[in-house]
């Protein structure tokens, strides 16, 4: 049995345009049309990983109106080039070994990860992997206020209006 996908008008809306809607973003209902209509406007979004993909994600979200927090385990002193690549877009940077990863997504509506960051990958930094596994468990437990979690590739595939074909291997 299939169920109808909610349309933007089926979802709760706020009549106060200065106050963002609270709660996690519903990735299953999110469309590119929603993004263009301001679905991220004023919404807190966390991007994990401040390399090429993280920079692209941050630019996308800021341009879509989100309030973006970047998290990276490297010290801020090593992220000057990444910060410059934002071309002046405002982001809050939480960086370094002294930052608890989960503090980066406190209050976020969405957490987006770079391709190399995954709660199941042994190559993901252990503190971040453990924090992500706890986030996944909270989502599985349907705990209120837990932000949605999406990878860069998943977000692209969800929002891409064109048919997509994936080719894997070498």
């Amino acid at each position: 049995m299939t169920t109808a996908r909610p349309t933007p008008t089926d979802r709760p809306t706020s009549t106060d345009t200065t106050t963002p809607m609270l709660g996690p973003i519903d990735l299953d209902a999110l469309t590119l049309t929603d993004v263009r209509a301001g679905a991220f406007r004023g919404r807190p979004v966390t991007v994990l990983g401040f390399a090429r993909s993280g920079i692209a994600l941050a630019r996308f979200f800021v341009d879509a109106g989100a309030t973006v927090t970047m998290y990276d385990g490297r010290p801020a002193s090593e992220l000057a080039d990444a910060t410059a690549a934002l071309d002046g877009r405002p982001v809050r940077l939480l960086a370094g070994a002294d930052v608890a990863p989960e503090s980066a997504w406190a209050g976020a509506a969405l957490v987006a990860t770079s391709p190399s960051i995954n709660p199941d990958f042994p190559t993901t930094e252990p503190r971040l992997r453990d924090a992500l596994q706890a986030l996944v468990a909270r989502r599985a437990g349907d705990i209120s206020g837990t932000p949605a979690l999406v990878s860069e590739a998943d977000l692209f595939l969800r929002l891409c209006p064109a048919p997509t074909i994936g080719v894997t291997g070498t």
Side-chain angles (χ1 to χ4, degrees), residues 11-12 14 17-18 20 26 42-43 45-46 50 65 76-77 91 94 102 108-109 113 120 125-126 131 136 139 164:
R11 288 181 234 129
S14 170
T17 58
T18 61
D26 181 356
R43 303 294 299 275
V45 173
T46 298
F50 204 10
S77 61
V91 302
L94 296 177
E102 60 275 5
T113 64
D120 299 321
E125 190 271 322
V136 169
R139 292 225 23 100
T164 56

Side-chain angles (χ1 to χ4, degrees), residues 124-148:
T124 299
E125 190 271 322
R127 284 183 330 128
L128 179 54
R129 186 177 60 242
D130 291 345
L132 282 171
Q133 287 172 344
L135 177 61
V136 169
R138 287 180 58 85
R139 292 225 23 100
D142 202 25
I143 297 174
S144 178
T146 303

Side-chain angles (χ1 to χ4, degrees), residues 8 11 20-21 23-26 29-45 61 64-66 109-110 159:
R11 288 181 234 129
M21 290 175 49
I25 290 177
D26 181 356
L30 185 67
T31 67
L32 185 57
T33 301
D34 296 337
V35 173
R36 289 179 175 152
F40 287 114
R41 191 173 302 119
R43 303 294 299 275
V45 173
F61 287 125
L110 178 69
L159 298 179

Side-chain angles (χ1 to χ4, degrees), residues 36-158:
R36 289 179 175 152
F40 287 114
R41 191 173 302 119
R43 303 294 299 275
V45 173
T46 298
V47 176
L48 304 178
F50 204 10
R52 287 183 303 269
S53 293
I55 292 165
L57 280 166
R59 292 167 63 127
F60 169 78
F61 287 125
V62 170
D63 291 350
T67 302
V68 177
T69 297
M70 296 292 307
Y71 169 83
D72 198 291
R74 296 174 291 169
S77 61
E78 294 180 17
L79 302 171
D81 289 343
T83 302
L86 293 173
D87 295 328
R89 289 172 179 87
V91 302
R92 182 179 94 164
L93 177 60
L94 296 177
D98 59 331
V99 176
E102 60 275 5
S103 70
W105 59 76
L110 178 69
V111 175
T113 64
S114 297
S116 65
I117 297 175
N118 185 300
D120 299 321
F121 288 177
T123 54
T124 299
E125 190 271 322
R127 284 183 330 128
L128 179 54
R129 186 177 60 242
D130 291 345
L132 282 171
Q133 287 172 344
L135 177 61
V136 169
R138 287 180 58 85
R139 292 225 23 100
D142 202 25
I143 297 174
S144 178
T146 303
L149 178 63
V150 69
S151 69
E152 176 202 36
D154 185 12
L155 183 65
F156 168 78
L157 291 171
R158 288 172 182 272

